[in-house]
Amino acid sequence: MRHRTLPGLHFGLQGFGELGPWDHWAARSEQFHRAGPAVFGTLRLTGHPVLKAQAALLWGRVAGLDARMFTRRATVDF
């Protein structure tokens, strides 16, 4: 989910979850879930390349324990 604040800058929420195998979900204590606020940015470079970046601070449960995670990603589209 994103909210477009400025051109090239969006704020939103990001989440990840792992339920186990698709045909037999794991017990709840063995499932992983994380979610939290995120920021997304896009910068158009000279020519056609586009630099995209995102970062998020996530909280949740991993293997039945409380977990915090910072994630970031950057890509260049040609």
Side-chain angles (χ1 to χ4, degrees):
M1 178 161 78
R2 292 189 191 186
H3 175 70
R4 288 166 171 72
T5 307
L6 299 169
L9 182 64
H10 308 153
F11 294 94
L13 298 174
Q14 192 171 66
F16 297 96
E18 300 172 26
L19 301 174
W22 69 273
D23 59 346
H24 183 68
W25 287 1
R28 182 156 176 82
S29 63
E30 297 173 6
Q31 296 177 4
F32 303 164
H33 303 286
R34 297 170 299 279
V39 62
F40 306 87
T42 302
L43 178 62
R44 298 195 183 283
L45 304 174
T46 307
H48 293 287
V50 177
L51 175 64
K52 295 181 181 179
Q54 60 178 301
L57 183 58
L58 308 173
W59 293 274
R61 309 267 308 159
V62 174
L65 303 172
D66 288 335
R68 295 182 194 122
M69 181 172 89
F70 177 73
T71 182
R72 66 209 179 285
R73 177 183 297 187
T75 61
V76 177
D77 296 344
F78 294 88

